[in-house]
Amino acid sequence: EYKSREARGPLNEIVMKSFPLLLPLAQRLCTENSLEAALMLKQILKIFWSSTQFYLPSGNNPDGSASATPSPALANPSAMEPWFEILKAVLSKPLPEADQPDTKEERNAWPWWKAKKWAAQIMTRLFSRYGIPSYAEEEIKEFAVYFSQNVAPQFLGPVCETLNLRPSGQFCTDRLVHLCLNFVDLAVELAPTYKLLKPHMDFLLYKVCFPCMCLTQDDIEEFENDPHEFVHKQNSPLADFYDPRMSAITLVQSVVKHRGKDNMQPFLAFLTEILQRYNSTEEANKNHVEKDGALLSFGSLSDTLLTKKKFASELEGLMVSSVFPDFNSPVAFLRCRACWMVQRFSEIPWSDDGSHLRNLIQLVLQRLSDPALPVQIEASKALRFLIEVDGADVTLLPVLPQILNEYFRIMNEIGNDEVVAALQVIIDTFGEQITPHAVALVTQLSTAFKNYVDAGEDDDDAAMAAAQCLECINTVLKGTCEHPELYTNMEPCLVPLVLQILGNDGEYLEYMEFA
């Protein structure tokens, strides 16, 4: 499966003999409704995925080695049509509510939903690897043209039907929504598929993407009851591979990038209306989740908004009227979102005498000691961006010791590499002013490293934070190189730390380059 094309001889042999047998079986299974049929169909689709995700199978040489010539399917794309029909049939197969398990967990594991997931995953992989002519290698150009003009448009129907399940009140797994949104993301860029999508963009943006971007009740309960897990999920690099919220954000960004002329202005008007409605509604009736989704949407488009003059001039008003008040909101996840928005729009050129910037810094500093851990995390990350703004040092320097204390308190609460990275920016920016705190910093960072390393085996976030602590110590040492007298007091912390990394039978070798 993972070998180069030249080393795939045995796999090609298996495919040539098994696929003609699997094809009619899969065709028949698509028409059945039993769990046994679903399990067999899922297995066939997994076999198809493993055989095609990197290369379409080619023939073999007489000696059994893989042929260097491209797959026959690339020269004759219509030969794969029966498999394309199976993928469409599986994804569009109705699953009556009455036949499905009762709980969400059971439905996520239900074989028919798993089969649909594999069909959507194969569709999206074929599209991204073989279906876009402008990105295709020379040997697959012909197949890419055929796929883009004939196959991808056929897939769009089942994909959009699947995305309509939730808006119409029916169940659909997160993973399947995520994969279907990824497929649409590819379709937006391609002219033949966008032509078909264009009449349905309102549905995709407002009925599918925006609801995906809003917090669910489960998210809110996790925010309040298990903040450590909430922070972990929000910062997980794996979210891009399973979270429909991330794929919805990516799709919105692609729509604005590739089809902004048709969609950007209406979408921004939709978001602005939400914020205006929130501001004009009585407190008891405000829709906090909807506002959070609108701010997430604005923030996700920050790169585009900041570079276009006609939008950039309105961002200051957006921050002052819709973000500043949320720093003191009774709703914790809106306070969290306000801190996140600062990270996205820290480069706004303020038009006043500097009072907005000073006010913003004070608001962020207050959130460092917020009762909610996710708010503290986002505030500590936000300060990193504000430090680099001209004029920020005037407000920050007088309270630098308190800021450092807050960062170490947060670091003791949770291992998060972005919090430590933000601390590193502070240390680097205020180099001279950090010198009086250098010994205390190294002591605290050494302790944090040891704590994170102990938790690192079971906690990837802590392991990354541990590495970031060593980088942070390096920054302190570079900043104090002209004060060698400080090193004497640092050695009791640094020597055991270096010995810990170099010793222990190589247990901590992953941290060697940072040490």
Side-chain angles (χ1 to χ4, degrees), residues 84-351:
F84 297 152
E85 291 297 325
I86 288 171
L87 298 176
K88 287 192 296 179
V90 173
L91 192 57
S92 58
K93 185 178 180 66
L95 301 179
E97 289 282 324
D99 297 343
Q100 299 187 43
D102 294 330
T103 68
K104 180 180 177 181
E105 290 74 19
E106 289 175 323
R107 291 191 181 198
N108 284 332
W110 198 47
W112 278 114
W113 283 117
K114 289 287 188 181
K116 283 178 175 282
K117 186 268 290 191
W118 281 105
Q121 186 166 313
I122 293 166
M123 283 181 177
T124 305
R125 181 63 172 180
L126 288 171
F127 198 175
S128 64
R129 189 164 181 83
Y130 307 111
I132 302 180
S134 57
Y135 299 150
E137 297 173 7
E138 195 58 42
E139 67 179 34
I140 63 172
K141 283 277 187 190
E142 185 179 346
F143 183 89
V145 171
Y146 177 87
F147 191 99
S148 66
Q149 294 177 353
N150 299 282
V151 182
Q154 292 179 44
F155 284 169
L156 268 184
V159 166
C160 289
E161 287 170 12
T162 302
L163 290 173
N164 189 42
L165 289 173
R166 287 187 177 180
S168 60
Q170 300 176 68
F171 177 81
C172 187
T173 65
D174 282 351
R175 186 77 173 100
L176 186 52
V177 172
H178 168 78
L179 289 165
C180 288
L181 286 172
N182 285 349
F183 187 92
V184 175
D185 182 32
L186 295 164
V188 161
E189 186 177 353
L190 200 63
T193 42
Y194 179 68
K195 185 178 179 181
L196 297 173
L197 280 175
K198 189 174 179 180
H200 308 289
M201 289 308 298
D202 284 1
F203 159 74
L204 286 167
L205 288 173
Y206 310 135
K207 300 296 185 184
V208 178
C209 288
F210 185 73
C212 278
M213 295 168 77
C214 292
L215 293 170
T216 65
Q217 189 57 41
D218 288 345
D219 292 329
I220 296 170
E221 289 176 4
E222 189 170 66
F223 184 104
E224 295 170 349
N225 301 322
D226 192 357
H228 285 78
E229 182 60 22
F230 181 87
V231 170
H232 170 71
K233 285 184 179 178
Q234 293 295 308
N235 294 280
S236 172
L238 297 177
D240 287 345
F241 300 101
Y242 65 81
D243 188 353
R245 180 176 291 119
M246 298 307 297
S247 51
I249 290 171
T250 302
L251 175 53
V252 168
Q253 291 170 334
S254 294
V255 168
V256 167
K257 178 181 177 181
H258 299 295
R259 307 297 172 184
K261 184 178 178 182
D262 297 333
N263 301 287
M264 186 171 184
Q265 200 69 51
F267 187 61
L268 293 179
F270 167 77
L271 300 176
T272 302
E273 183 185 352
I274 290 174
L275 298 182
Q276 291 172 343
R277 185 165 62 244
Y278 183 90
N279 290 340
S280 62
T281 302
E282 294 181 6
E283 187 63 37
N285 298 319
K286 289 181 184 293
N287 189 332
H288 307 303
V289 169
E290 191 179 53
K291 179 178 183 181
D292 180 79
L295 292 178
L296 173 60
S297 301
F298 269 119
S300 300
L301 299 175
S302 60
D303 290 344
T304 301
L305 295 174
L306 286 166
T307 54
K308 292 183 180 290
K309 285 186 179 180
K310 63 178 179 178
F311 299 124
S313 61
E314 299 176 19
L315 294 175
E316 183 176 3
L318 168 73
M319 293 293 289
V320 173
S321 65
S322 293
V323 177
F324 280 27
D326 284 348
F327 280 100
N328 294 307
S329 169
V331 182
F333 63 77
L334 283 180
R335 300 197 300 272
C336 191
R337 181 64 62 202
C339 294
W340 180 83
M341 285 288 284
V342 173
Q343 300 166 47
R344 306 300 300 182
F345 292 108
S346 63
E347 298 175 15
I348 288 178
W350 303 101
S351 62

Side-chain angles (χ1 to χ4, degrees), residues 493-511:
C493 294
L494 294 177
V495 172
L497 187 148
V498 172
L499 291 175
Q500 180 180 5
I501 295 171
L502 297 179
N504 292 289
D505 298 323
E507 185 179 351
Y508 302 116
L509 276 178
E510 61 193 283
Y511 301 109

Side-chain angles (χ1 to χ4, degrees), residues 13 21 162 273 367:
E13 190 71 25
L21 302 175
T162 302
E273 183 185 352
R367 291 306 110 214

Side-chain angles (χ1 to χ4, degrees), residues 316-317 320 324 350-363:
E316 183 176 3
V320 173
F324 280 27
W350 303 101
S351 62
D352 65 341
D353 59 357
S355 58
H356 282 333
L357 176 60
R358 289 192 296 273
N359 185 22
L360 182 58
I361 292 172
Q362 289 296 343
L363 290 168

